[in-house]
Amino acid sequence: MKRAQLIGFSVALVAAGLAYYVAGAFLQPPAPITVEKHVDSTKVLVAGRNIPVGEIVNEGSFRWMTWPKSAVSPDYLNQKTVGADILKRLAGSVARAPILAGEPITKQKLIKPGDGGVLAAILPQGMRAISTKIRAETAAGSLILPNDHVDVILIRRVRGRNNDDQSVADTLFRNVRVLAIGQQIQTKEGKMVAESSASTATLELTPRQSEMMALANTMGDITLSLRSVADLNSDPTGSGAGLSRPKENSVRIVRYGAKSRVYGVN
């Protein structure tokens, strides 16, 4: 190779390397810029572990967690406002609803001893708890669990026009929440275990519906029809048919606001 060609090749190689370096410098993304921003925060009392409904809590059930002040609800227990002895004051309270680990604690989620039993604590304001007898064949094979939703069906014998007895079924209520099966008000240790030996189901009803339920318990057999979780929002809670007391010795079934049948009560 001639000297002139060697020099030209060397110059071209150096130029190519320089061009590659310059191009790489332009293509590299700029270095990230870290900006520190001060956010006002406070400590909020949260559950230190999963707390099931009805459990008696102690000081070890809670812990303090730092939250941005802008995200703190007035119902949260703020360390600066509730006092240093809040853990001692909450010890011995009963959980009114399941509380997940890390979930903020509010006074509405706990009830102090003496303020009512566990069932009264989990019952929403204005609602009533009333029980009805169940068997495996009238309660979806004993597979209904607390917090499931059911339709309440009354089956009774009535006297027809020809004085022959007939069986009639009417849906009294739809989308009713089950508060307890027997004395079980929650799933056991997080497992969905049905209490097959239970003989009663406790339902959440309005005061008027509770009267209808008490009357229906004396008229025939009550069957609970289990609803799918996909159907919980398809009917207003507790809506459906009801029983009313017309004049004389009869009971009228009312279904969705429309009169259905009139049965004599012997």
Side-chain angles (χ1 to χ4, degrees), residues 11-253:
V11 171
L13 185 62
V14 172
L18 183 60
Y20 178 79
Y21 174 78
V22 173
F26 279 105
L27 293 176
Q28 286 182 355
I33 301 175
T34 303
V35 178
E36 294 185 2
K37 184 178 180 180
H38 178 71
V39 178
D40 289 338
S41 61
T42 185
K43 289 188 178 296
V44 170
L45 191 65
V46 301
R49 53 179 176 78
N50 291 337
I51 302 175
V53 61
E55 179 173 310
I56 300 176
V57 299
N58 53 42
E59 295 184 36
S61 303
F62 313 106
R63 62 186 177 91
W64 295 104
M65 178 180 289
T66 301
W67 277 56
K69 283 187 176 181
S70 59
V72 176
S73 168
D75 292 332
Y76 295 172
L77 300 183
N78 189 326
Q79 192 178 41
K80 294 182 179 180
T81 59
V82 297
D85 62 338
I86 185 63
L87 296 181
K88 292 182 179 179
R89 287 188 279 127
L90 291 179
S93 299
V94 178
R96 300 183 64 177
I99 307 174
L100 299 178
E103 182 179 346
I105 300 298
T106 64
K107 292 182 179 180
Q108 293 80 9
K109 295 178 181 178
L110 301 172
I111 186 171
K112 294 294 291 183
D115 292 342
V118 175
L119 186 58
I122 65 176
L123 193 64
Q125 183 178 2
M127 303 300 286
R128 303 292 185 266
I130 186 168
S131 297
T132 186
K133 293 182 179 180
I134 59 172
R135 304 185 304 274
E137 59 269 26
T138 63
S142 298
L143 295 178
I144 297 176
L145 295 170
N147 288 317
D148 280 341
H149 285 238
V150 298
D151 292 345
V152 181
I153 302 172
L154 170 64
I155 302 176
R156 62 187 298 267
R157 301 286 293 178
V158 299
R159 182 171 298 175
R161 294 182 178 180
N162 298 326
N163 290 328
D164 55 335
D165 288 341
Q166 301 176 356
S167 294
V168 177
D170 281 284
T171 298
L172 302 182
F173 314 113
R174 295 187 182 275
N175 205 9
V176 173
R177 182 165 76 107
V178 178
L179 294 173
I181 295 295
Q183 295 186 345
Q184 178 185 347
I185 62 173
Q186 64 180 352
T187 55
K188 297 179 180 179
E189 300 178 355
K191 299 179 180 179
M192 300 181 70
V193 179
E195 188 177 341
S196 58
S197 60
S199 60
T200 60
T202 303
L203 309 177
E204 177 187 286
L205 298 173
T206 66
R208 176 56 180 157
Q209 290 170 340
S210 298
E211 295 176 359
M212 300 176 189
M213 188 76 246
L215 176 60
N217 280 333
T218 67
M219 295 173 61
D221 293 328
I222 298 297
T223 295
L224 303 182
S225 176
L226 182 63
R227 295 178 67 94
S228 166
V229 294
D231 296 333
L232 297 187
N233 296 325
S234 61
D235 292 310
T237 301
S239 67
L243 298 176
S244 61
R245 287 183 178 272
K247 295 181 179 180
E248 300 178 355
N249 195 26
S250 63
V251 173
R252 184 181 300 277
I253 302 294

